[in-house]
Structure formats: C-alpha cells, structure tokens
Amino acid sequence: MEETQLNVALGYLSILLGYLCLRSPIRSRFVEVHPQKSLQPLLNSIKEFIAFHQKIAEAQDTGLGSGHGAESAALTRLKNLVEQLADLR
C-alpha cells in the first residue's frame, strides 16, 4: 500500500514537472541536469502513471458509471501532455 501511494505521489510530481517542461527555459534546465540529458525518463514516468490509472478505471468498470467521462478527459489531457513533450524533444 505504501509503495502504491509513493508511486502515485511520484506520478503527480512527474505530471507537474511535465507541464513545467512545456516552457523552454525549464525544459532546457531539466535536460541539462538530468543524467540522461533527455526528457524520455519524464515521459516514461507520465506514461506509467497513465497506465496505472487506466488499470484502475478498468478494474472499477467505470464505463458504466458517471465518472467515466471525467476520468477519460483527465487521461486524454495527460496523453496530450506526453505528445506535446515528445514533440519538443
């Protein structure tokens, strides 16, 4: 349980950093200080977070509930973030 909570917290931090990296100065600094000199680890982290939430949505069978649209919209926004960051590489 604690590991899952830690992974969720790291996922949210990755998303925050991803949105910050849409700005050129922040993205440049991230790439400069990261050991791999790339945005790829950040993209991988956000993709992992998306996959985690998709699994939860499938397990809860939200396709029948009213929360499906909101969850789907949130995941769509995260996927768009990944695409935007990938285009900036």
Coordinates of all heavy atoms in Angstrom, one line a residue:
M1 N 0.8 -1.2 0.0 CA 0.0 0.0 0.0 C 0.9 1.3 0.0 O 0.6 2.2 -0.8 CB -0.9 0.0 1.2 CG -1.9 1.1 1.3 SD -3.0 1.0 -0.1 CE -4.4 1.9 0.6
E2 N 1.9 1.3 0.8 CA 2.8 2.5 0.9 C 3.5 2.7 -0.4 O 3.7 3.8 -0.9 CB 3.8 2.3 2.0 CG 3.2 2.4 3.4 CD 4.2 2.3 4.5 OE1 5.4 2.5 4.3 OE2 3.8 1.9 5.6
E3 N 3.9 1.6 -1.1 CA 4.6 1.7 -2.4 C 3.7 2.3 -3.4 O 4.1 3.1 -4.2 CB 5.1 0.3 -2.8 CG 5.9 0.4 -4.1 CD 6.5 -0.9 -4.5 OE1 6.6 -1.8 -3.6 OE2 6.8 -1.1 -5.7
T4 N 2.4 1.9 -3.4 CA 1.5 2.4 -4.3 C 1.3 3.9 -4.1 O 1.2 4.7 -5.1 CB 0.1 1.7 -4.2 OG1 0.3 0.3 -4.5 CG2 -0.9 2.3 -5.2
Q5 N 1.2 4.3 -2.8 CA 1.0 5.7 -2.5 C 2.2 6.5 -3.0 O 2.1 7.6 -3.5 CB 0.7 5.9 -1.0 CG -0.6 5.4 -0.6 CD -0.8 5.4 0.9 OE1 0.2 5.5 1.7 NE2 -2.1 5.4 1.3
L6 N 3.4 6.0 -2.8 CA 4.6 6.7 -3.2 C 4.6 6.8 -4.7 O 4.9 7.9 -5.3 CB 5.8 5.9 -2.7 CG 7.2 6.5 -3.1 CD1 7.4 7.9 -2.6 CD2 8.3 5.6 -2.7
N7 N 4.2 5.7 -5.4 CA 4.2 5.8 -6.9 C 3.2 6.8 -7.4 O 3.5 7.5 -8.4 CB 3.9 4.4 -7.5 CG 5.1 3.5 -7.4 OD1 6.2 3.9 -7.2 ND2 4.8 2.2 -7.4
V8 N 2.1 6.9 -6.8 CA 1.1 7.9 -7.2 C 1.6 9.3 -6.9 O 1.5 10.2 -7.8 CB -0.3 7.7 -6.4 CG1 -1.2 8.9 -6.6 CG2 -0.9 6.4 -6.9
A9 N 2.2 9.5 -5.8 CA 2.8 10.8 -5.5 C 3.9 11.2 -6.5 O 3.9 12.3 -7.0 CB 3.4 10.9 -4.1
L10 N 4.7 10.2 -6.9 CA 5.8 10.5 -7.9 C 5.1 10.7 -9.2 O 5.6 11.5 -10.0 CB 6.7 9.3 -8.0 CG 7.7 9.1 -6.7 CD1 8.5 7.9 -6.8 CD2 8.6 10.3 -6.6
G11 N 4.0 10.1 -9.5 CA 3.3 10.3 -10.8 C 2.8 11.7 -10.9 O 3.0 12.4 -11.9
Y12 N 2.2 12.2 -9.8 CA 1.7 13.6 -9.8 C 2.8 14.6 -9.9 O 2.7 15.6 -10.6 CB 0.9 13.8 -8.6 CG -0.5 13.3 -8.7 CD1 -1.0 12.3 -7.8 CD2 -1.4 13.9 -9.6 CE1 -2.3 11.8 -7.9 CE2 -2.7 13.4 -9.7 CZ -3.2 12.4 -8.9 OH -4.4 11.9 -9.0
L13 N 4.0 14.3 -9.3 CA 5.1 15.2 -9.4 C 5.6 15.2 -10.9 O 6.1 16.2 -11.4 CB 6.2 14.8 -8.4 CG 5.9 15.1 -7.0 CD1 7.0 14.5 -6.1 CD2 5.8 16.6 -6.7
S14 N 5.6 14.0 -11.5 CA 6.1 13.9 -12.9 C 5.2 14.7 -13.8 O 5.6 15.4 -14.7 CB 6.1 12.5 -13.3 OG 7.0 11.7 -12.6
I15 N 3.9 14.7 -13.5 CA 2.9 15.5 -14.3 C 3.2 17.0 -14.1 O 3.2 17.7 -15.1 CB 1.5 15.1 -13.9 CG1 1.2 13.7 -14.4 CG2 0.5 16.1 -14.5 CD1 -0.1 13.1 -13.8
L16 N 3.4 17.4 -12.9 CA 3.7 18.8 -12.6 C 4.9 19.2 -13.4 O 5.0 20.2 -14.1 CB 3.8 19.0 -11.1 CG 4.3 20.4 -10.7 CD1 3.2 21.5 -11.2 CD2 4.5 20.5 -9.2
L17 N 6.0 18.4 -13.3 CA 7.2 18.7 -13.9 C 7.0 18.7 -15.5 O 7.6 19.5 -16.2 CB 8.3 17.7 -13.5 CG 9.7 18.0 -14.0 CD1 10.2 19.4 -13.7 CD2 10.7 16.9 -13.5
G18 N 6.2 17.8 -15.9 CA 5.9 17.7 -17.4 C 5.3 19.0 -17.9 O 5.7 19.6 -18.9
Y19 N 4.3 19.5 -17.1 CA 3.7 20.8 -17.5 C 4.7 21.9 -17.4 O 4.7 22.8 -18.3 CB 2.4 21.1 -16.7 CG 1.2 20.4 -17.2 CD1 0.6 19.3 -16.4 CD2 0.6 20.7 -18.4 CE1 -0.5 18.7 -16.9 CE2 -0.5 20.0 -18.9 CZ -1.0 19.0 -18.1 OH -2.2 18.3 -18.6
L20 N 5.5 21.9 -16.4 CA 6.6 23.0 -16.3 C 7.5 22.9 -17.5 O 8.0 23.9 -18.0 CB 7.3 22.8 -15.0 CG 6.5 23.2 -13.7 CD1 7.3 22.9 -12.5 CD2 6.1 24.7 -13.8
C21 N 7.8 21.7 -17.9 CA 8.8 21.5 -19.0 C 8.2 21.9 -20.4 O 8.9 21.9 -21.4 CB 9.2 20.0 -19.1 SG 10.5 19.7 -17.9
L22 N 6.9 22.3 -20.4 CA 6.4 22.8 -21.7 C 7.0 24.2 -21.9 O 7.1 24.7 -23.1 CB 4.9 22.9 -21.6 CG 4.1 21.6 -21.7 CD1 2.6 21.8 -21.5 CD2 4.4 20.8 -22.9
R23 N 7.5 24.8 -20.9 CA 8.2 26.1 -21.0 C 9.7 25.8 -21.4 O 10.4 25.0 -20.7 CB 8.1 26.9 -19.8 CG 6.7 27.3 -19.4 CD 6.5 28.5 -18.7 NE 7.4 29.6 -19.2 CZ 8.0 30.5 -18.5 NH1 7.8 30.4 -17.2 NH2 8.7 31.4 -19.0
S24 N 10.2 26.5 -22.4 CA 11.5 26.2 -22.9 C 12.7 26.3 -21.8 O 13.5 25.5 -21.7 CB 11.8 27.1 -24.1 OG 13.1 26.9 -24.6
P25 N 12.7 27.4 -21.0 CA 13.8 27.5 -20.0 C 13.8 26.4 -19.0 O 14.9 25.9 -18.6 CB 13.5 28.8 -19.3 CG 12.5 29.6 -20.2 CD 11.8 28.6 -21.0
I26 N 12.6 25.9 -18.6 CA 12.5 24.9 -17.6 C 12.9 23.5 -18.3 O 13.7 22.7 -17.7 CB 11.1 24.8 -17.0 CG1 10.9 26.1 -16.2 CG2 11.0 23.6 -16.1 CD1 9.5 26.3 -15.7
R27 N 12.5 23.3 -19.5 CA 12.8 22.1 -20.2 C 14.3 22.0 -20.4 O 14.9 21.0 -20.2 CB 12.1 22.1 -21.5 CG 12.3 20.8 -22.3 CD 11.4 20.8 -23.6 NE 11.7 21.9 -24.5 CZ 10.8 23.0 -24.6 NH1 9.7 23.0 -23.9 NH2 11.1 24.0 -25.5
S28 N 14.9 23.1 -20.8 CA 16.4 23.2 -21.1 C 17.1 22.8 -19.8 O 18.1 22.1 -19.8 CB 16.8 24.5 -21.6 OG 16.2 24.8 -22.8
R29 N 16.7 23.4 -18.7 CA 17.4 23.1 -17.4 C 17.2 21.7 -17.0 O 18.1 21.1 -16.5 CB 16.8 24.1 -16.3 CG 17.4 23.9 -15.0 CD 18.9 24.4 -15.0 NE 19.4 24.3 -13.7 CZ 20.7 24.0 -13.4 NH1 21.5 23.8 -14.4 NH2 21.0 23.9 -12.2
F30 N 16.0 21.1 -17.2 CA 15.8 19.7 -16.8 C 16.7 18.8 -17.6 O 17.4 17.9 -17.1 CB 14.3 19.3 -17.1 CG 14.0 17.9 -16.9 CD1 13.7 17.4 -15.6 CD2 14.1 16.9 -17.9 CE1 13.4 16.1 -15.4 CE2 13.8 15.6 -17.7 CZ 13.5 15.2 -16.4
V31 N 16.8 19.0 -18.9 CA 17.6 18.2 -19.8 C 19.1 18.4 -19.4 O 19.9 17.4 -19.3 CB 17.4 18.6 -21.3 CG1 18.5 17.9 -22.1 CG2 16.0 18.1 -21.7
E32 N 19.5 19.6 -19.0 CA 20.8 19.9 -18.6 C 21.3 19.2 -17.4 O 22.4 18.7 -17.3 CB 21.0 21.4 -18.4 CG 22.3 21.9 -18.0 CD 22.3 23.4 -17.7 OE1 21.8 24.1 -18.6 OE2 22.8 23.8 -16.7
V33 N 20.4 19.1 -16.4 CA 20.8 18.5 -15.1 C 20.5 17.0 -15.0 O 21.0 16.3 -14.2 CB 20.1 19.2 -13.9 CG1 20.5 20.6 -13.9 CG2 18.6 19.1 -13.9
H34 N 19.6 16.5 -15.9 CA 19.3 15.0 -15.8 C 20.4 14.2 -16.4 O 21.0 14.5 -17.4 CB 18.0 14.8 -16.6 CG 17.4 13.4 -16.3 ND1 17.8 12.3 -16.9 CD2 16.4 13.1 -15.4 CE1 17.2 11.3 -16.4 NE2 16.3 11.7 -15.5
P35 N 20.7 13.1 -15.7 CA 21.9 12.3 -16.1 C 21.7 11.8 -17.6 O 22.8 11.6 -18.3 CB 21.9 11.1 -15.2 CG 21.1 11.6 -14.0 CD 20.2 12.6 -14.5
Q36 N 20.5 11.5 -18.0 CA 20.3 11.0 -19.4 C 20.3 12.1 -20.4 O 20.1 11.9 -21.6 CB 19.1 10.1 -19.5 CG 19.3 8.8 -18.7 CD 18.1 7.9 -18.9 OE1 17.2 8.2 -19.8 NE2 18.0 6.9 -18.1
K37 N 20.3 13.4 -20.0 CA 20.2 14.5 -20.9 C 19.0 14.4 -21.9 O 19.1 14.7 -23.1 CB 21.5 14.7 -21.7 CG 22.7 14.8 -20.8 CD 22.7 16.1 -20.0 CE 24.0 16.2 -19.2 NZ 23.9 17.0 -18.0
S38 N 17.9 14.0 -21.3 CA 16.7 13.8 -22.1 C 15.4 13.9 -21.3 O 15.4 13.8 -20.1 CB 16.8 12.3 -22.7 OG 15.6 11.9 -23.3
L39 N 14.3 14.2 -22.0 CA 13.0 14.2 -21.4 C 12.4 12.8 -21.3 O 11.4 12.6 -20.7 CB 12.0 15.1 -22.2 CG 12.2 16.6 -22.1 CD1 11.2 17.3 -23.0 CD2 12.0 17.1 -20.7
Q40 N 13.0 11.8 -21.9 CA 12.5 10.5 -22.0 C 12.1 9.9 -20.7 O 11.0 9.3 -20.5 CB 13.4 9.5 -22.8 CG 12.7 8.2 -23.2 CD 11.4 8.4 -24.0 OE1 11.4 9.2 -25.0 NE2 10.3 7.8 -23.6
P41 N 13.0 10.0 -19.6 CA 12.6 9.4 -18.3 C 11.3 10.1 -17.8 O 10.5 9.4 -17.2 CB 13.8 9.7 -17.4 CG 14.9 9.8 -18.4 CD 14.3 10.5 -19.6
L42 N 11.1 11.4 -18.0 CA 9.9 12.0 -17.6 C 8.7 11.5 -18.3 O 7.7 11.3 -17.8 CB 10.1 13.6 -17.7 CG 8.9 14.4 -17.3 CD1 8.6 14.2 -15.8 CD2 9.2 15.9 -17.6
L43 N 8.9 11.4 -19.6 CA 7.8 10.9 -20.5 C 7.4 9.5 -20.0 O 6.2 9.1 -19.9 CB 8.2 10.8 -21.9 CG 8.4 12.2 -22.6 CD1 9.0 12.1 -24.0 CD2 7.1 12.9 -22.7
N44 N 8.4 8.6 -19.7 CA 8.1 7.3 -19.3 C 7.4 7.3 -17.9 O 6.5 6.5 -17.8 CB 9.4 6.5 -19.1 CG 10.1 6.2 -20.4 OD1 9.5 6.3 -21.5 ND2 11.4 5.9 -20.4
S45 N 7.7 8.2 -17.1 CA 7.1 8.2 -15.8 C 5.6 8.6 -15.9 O 4.7 8.1 -15.3 CB 7.8 9.2 -14.9 OG 7.2 9.3 -13.6
I46 N 5.3 9.6 -16.8 CA 4.0 10.0 -17.0 C 3.2 8.9 -17.7 O 2.0 8.7 -17.4 CB 3.9 11.4 -17.8 CG1 4.6 12.5 -17.1 CG2 2.5 11.7 -18.2 CD1 4.8 13.8 -17.9
K47 N 3.8 8.2 -18.7 CA 3.1 7.1 -19.3 C 2.8 6.0 -18.3 O 1.7 5.4 -18.4 CB 4.0 6.6 -20.4 CG 4.1 7.5 -21.6 CD 5.0 6.9 -22.7 CE 5.2 7.8 -23.8 NZ 6.2 7.2 -24.8
E48 N 3.7 5.8 -17.4 CA 3.4 4.7 -16.4 C 2.2 5.2 -15.5 O 1.4 4.3 -15.1 CB 4.7 4.6 -15.5 CG 4.6 3.5 -14.5 CD 5.9 3.3 -13.8 OE1 7.0 3.4 -14.4 OE2 5.8 3.1 -12.5
F49 N 2.2 6.4 -15.2 CA 1.1 7.0 -14.4 C -0.3 6.8 -15.1 O -1.3 6.4 -14.5 CB 1.3 8.4 -14.0 CG 0.3 9.0 -13.1 CD1 0.4 8.8 -11.7 CD2 -0.7 9.9 -13.5 CE1 -0.4 9.4 -10.8 CE2 -1.6 10.5 -12.7 CZ -1.5 10.2 -11.3
I50 N -0.3 7.1 -16.4 CA -1.5 6.9 -17.2 C -1.9 5.5 -17.2 O -3.1 5.1 -17.1 CB -1.2 7.4 -18.7 CG1 -1.0 8.9 -18.7 CG2 -2.3 7.0 -19.6 CD1 -0.5 9.5 -20.0
A51 N -0.9 4.6 -17.4 CA -1.3 3.1 -17.5 C -1.8 2.7 -16.1 O -2.8 1.9 -16.1 CB 0.0 2.3 -17.8
F52 N -1.3 3.2 -15.0 CA -1.8 2.8 -13.7 C -3.2 3.2 -13.6 O -4.1 2.5 -13.1 CB -0.9 3.5 -12.7 CG -1.4 3.3 -11.2 CD1 -1.2 2.1 -10.6 CD2 -2.0 4.4 -10.6 CE1 -1.7 2.0 -9.3 CE2 -2.4 4.2 -9.3 CZ -2.3 3.0 -8.6
H53 N -3.5 4.5 -14.0 CA -4.9 4.9 -13.8 C -5.9 4.2 -14.8 O -7.1 4.1 -14.5 CB -5.0 6.5 -14.0 CG -4.6 7.1 -12.7 ND1 -5.5 7.3 -11.7 CD2 -3.4 7.7 -12.3 CE1 -4.9 7.9 -10.7 NE2 -3.6 8.1 -11.0
Q54 N -5.4 3.8 -16.0 CA -6.2 3.1 -16.9 C -6.6 1.7 -16.3 O -7.7 1.3 -16.4 CB -5.6 2.9 -18.2 CG -5.6 4.2 -19.0 CD -4.8 4.0 -20.3 OE1 -3.7 3.4 -20.4 NE2 -5.2 4.7 -21.4
K55 N -5.6 1.1 -15.6 CA -5.9 -0.2 -15.0 C -6.9 0.0 -13.9 O -7.8 -0.9 -13.7 CB -4.6 -0.8 -14.4 CG -3.7 -1.3 -15.5 CD -2.4 -1.9 -14.9 CE -1.4 -2.3 -16.0 NZ -0.2 -2.8 -15.5
I56 N -6.8 1.0 -13.1 CA -7.8 1.3 -12.0 C -9.2 1.5 -12.6 O -10.1 0.9 -12.1 CB -7.3 2.5 -11.1 CG1 -6.1 2.1 -10.3 CG2 -8.5 2.9 -10.2 CD1 -5.5 3.2 -9.6
A57 N -9.2 2.3 -13.6 CA -10.5 2.5 -14.3 C -11.2 1.3 -14.8 O -12.4 1.0 -14.6 CB -10.4 3.6 -15.4
E58 N -10.4 0.4 -15.4 CA -10.9 -0.9 -15.9 C -11.3 -1.8 -14.8 O -12.4 -2.4 -14.9 CB -9.8 -1.6 -16.7 CG -9.5 -0.9 -18.1 CD -8.3 -1.4 -18.8 OE1 -7.7 -2.4 -18.3 OE2 -7.9 -0.9 -19.8
A59 N -10.6 -1.8 -13.7 CA -10.9 -2.6 -12.5 C -12.2 -2.2 -11.9 O -13.0 -3.0 -11.4 CB -9.8 -2.6 -11.5
Q60 N -12.4 -0.9 -11.9 CA -13.7 -0.4 -11.3 C -14.8 -0.4 -12.2 O -15.9 0.0 -11.9 CB -13.4 1.1 -10.7 CG -12.4 1.1 -9.6 CD -12.2 2.5 -9.2 OE1 -12.4 3.5 -9.9 NE2 -11.6 2.7 -8.0
D61 N -14.5 -0.7 -13.5 CA -15.6 -0.7 -14.5 C -16.3 0.6 -14.6 O -17.5 0.7 -14.5 CB -16.6 -1.9 -14.3 CG -17.4 -2.2 -15.5 OD1 -16.9 -1.9 -16.6 OD2 -18.5 -2.7 -15.3
T62 N -15.5 1.7 -14.7 CA -16.1 3.0 -14.7 C -16.9 3.3 -16.0 O -17.5 4.3 -16.1 CB -15.0 4.1 -14.5 OG1 -14.1 3.9 -15.5 CG2 -14.4 4.0 -13.1
G63 N -16.8 2.4 -17.0 CA -17.5 2.6 -18.2 C -19.0 2.7 -18.0 O -19.7 3.3 -18.8
L64 N -19.5 2.2 -16.9 CA -20.9 2.2 -16.6 C -21.3 3.4 -15.7 O -22.5 3.7 -15.6 CB -21.4 0.9 -16.0 CG -21.2 -0.4 -16.9 CD1 -21.6 -1.6 -16.1 CD2 -22.0 -0.3 -18.1
G65 N -20.3 4.0 -15.0 CA -20.6 5.0 -14.1 C -20.5 6.4 -14.7 O -20.1 6.6 -15.8
S66 N -20.9 7.4 -13.9 CA -20.9 8.7 -14.4 C -19.5 9.3 -14.3 O -19.3 10.4 -15.0 CB -21.9 9.6 -13.5 OG -21.4 9.6 -12.2
G67 N -18.6 8.7 -13.6 CA -17.2 9.3 -13.5 C -16.4 9.0 -14.7 O -15.3 9.5 -14.9
H68 N -16.9 8.1 -15.7 CA -16.1 7.7 -16.8 C -15.7 8.9 -17.7 O -14.5 9.0 -18.1 CB -16.9 6.7 -17.6 CG -16.1 6.2 -18.8 ND1 -15.0 5.5 -18.8 CD2 -16.4 6.4 -20.2 CE1 -14.5 5.2 -20.0 NE2 -15.4 5.8 -20.8
G69 N -16.6 9.8 -17.9 CA -16.3 10.9 -18.8 C -15.2 11.8 -18.2 O -14.3 12.2 -18.9
A70 N -15.3 12.1 -16.9 CA -14.3 12.9 -16.3 C -12.9 12.2 -16.3 O -11.9 12.8 -16.5 CB -14.7 13.2 -14.8
E71 N -12.9 10.9 -16.0 CA -11.6 10.2 -15.9 C -11.0 10.1 -17.3 O -9.8 10.3 -17.5 CB -11.9 8.8 -15.4 CG -10.6 8.0 -15.2 CD -9.7 8.5 -14.1 OE1 -10.1 9.3 -13.3 OE2 -8.5 8.0 -14.1
S72 N -11.9 9.9 -18.3 CA -11.4 9.8 -19.7 C -10.8 11.1 -20.1 O -9.8 11.1 -20.8 CB -12.6 9.4 -20.6 OG -12.2 9.3 -21.9
A73 N -11.5 12.2 -19.7 CA -11.0 13.5 -20.1 C -9.6 13.8 -19.5 O -8.7 14.3 -20.1 CB -12.0 14.6 -19.7
A74 N -9.5 13.4 -18.2 CA -8.2 13.6 -17.5 C -7.1 12.8 -18.2 O -6.0 13.3 -18.4 CB -8.3 13.2 -16.0
L75 N -7.4 11.5 -18.5 CA -6.4 10.7 -19.2 C -6.0 11.3 -20.6 O -4.9 11.2 -21.0 CB -6.9 9.3 -19.3 CG -6.9 8.5 -17.9 CD1 -7.5 7.1 -18.1 CD2 -5.5 8.4 -17.3
T76 N -7.0 11.8 -21.2 CA -6.8 12.4 -22.5 C -5.8 13.6 -22.4 O -4.9 13.8 -23.2 CB -8.1 12.8 -23.2 OG1 -8.9 11.7 -23.4 CG2 -7.9 13.5 -24.5
R77 N -6.1 14.4 -21.4 CA -5.2 15.6 -21.2 C -3.8 15.1 -20.9 O -2.8 15.7 -21.4 CB -5.7 16.4 -20.0 CG -6.9 17.3 -20.4 CD -7.2 18.3 -19.3 NE -7.5 17.8 -18.0 CZ -8.6 17.4 -17.6 NH1 -9.7 17.5 -18.3 NH2 -8.8 16.9 -16.3
L78 N -3.6 14.0 -20.1 CA -2.3 13.5 -19.8 C -1.6 13.0 -21.0 O -0.4 13.2 -21.3 CB -2.3 12.5 -18.7 CG -2.7 13.0 -17.3 CD1 -2.8 11.8 -16.3 CD2 -1.7 14.0 -16.8
K79 N -2.4 12.3 -21.9 CA -1.8 11.8 -23.1 C -1.4 12.9 -24.0 O -0.3 12.9 -24.7 CB -2.8 10.9 -23.8 CG -3.0 9.6 -23.1 CD -4.1 8.7 -23.8 CE -4.4 7.4 -23.0 NZ -5.4 6.7 -23.6
N80 N -2.2 14.0 -24.0 CA -1.8 15.2 -24.8 C -0.5 15.8 -24.3 O 0.3 16.3 -25.1 CB -2.9 16.2 -24.8 CG -4.1 15.8 -25.7 OD1 -4.0 15.0 -26.6 ND2 -5.3 16.3 -25.4
L81 N -0.3 15.8 -23.0 CA 0.9 16.3 -22.4 C 2.1 15.5 -22.9 O 3.1 16.1 -23.3 CB 0.8 16.3 -20.9 CG 2.1 16.6 -20.1 CD1 2.6 18.0 -20.4 CD2 1.9 16.4 -18.6
V82 N 2.0 14.2 -22.9 CA 3.0 13.3 -23.3 C 3.4 13.7 -24.8 O 4.5 13.8 -25.2 CB 2.7 11.9 -23.1 CG1 3.7 11.0 -23.8 CG2 2.6 11.5 -21.7
E83 N 2.3 13.8 -25.6 CA 2.5 14.1 -27.0 C 3.2 15.5 -27.2 O 4.2 15.6 -28.0 CB 1.2 14.1 -27.8 CG 0.6 12.7 -27.9 CD -0.8 12.8 -28.6 OE1 -1.2 13.8 -29.1 OE2 -1.5 11.7 -28.5
Q84 N 2.8 16.5 -26.5 CA 3.4 17.8 -26.6 C 4.9 17.7 -26.2 O 5.8 18.3 -26.9 CB 2.7 18.8 -25.7 CG 1.4 19.2 -26.2 CD 0.6 20.1 -25.2 OE1 1.0 20.2 -24.0 NE2 -0.4 20.7 -25.7
L85 N 5.2 17.0 -25.1 CA 6.6 16.9 -24.7 C 7.4 16.1 -25.6 O 8.6 16.5 -25.9 CB 6.7 16.3 -23.3 CG 6.2 17.1 -22.1 CD1 6.1 16.3 -20.8 CD2 7.1 18.3 -21.9
A86 N 6.8 15.1 -26.2 CA 7.6 14.3 -27.2 C 7.9 15.1 -28.4 O 9.0 15.0 -29.0 CB 6.7 13.0 -27.6
D87 N 7.0 16.0 -28.8 CA 7.2 16.8 -30.0 C 8.3 17.9 -29.7 O 8.9 18.3 -30.7 CB 5.9 17.6 -30.4 CG 4.9 16.7 -31.0 OD1 5.2 15.5 -31.4 OD2 3.7 17.1 -31.1
L88 N 8.5 18.2 -28.5 CA 9.5 19.2 -28.1 C 11.0 18.6 -28.0 O 11.9 19.4 -28.0 CB 9.2 19.9 -26.8 CG 7.9 20.7 -26.8 CD1 7.6 21.1 -25.4 CD2 8.1 21.9 -27.7
R89 N 11.1 17.3 -28.1 CA 12.4 16.7 -27.9 C 13.3 17.0 -29.1 O 13.1 17.2 -30.1 CB 12.3 15.2 -27.7 CG 11.8 14.8 -26.4 CD 11.9 13.4 -26.1 NE 10.9 12.7 -27.0 CZ 11.0 11.4 -27.3 NH1 12.1 10.7 -27.0 NH2 10.1 10.8 -28.0

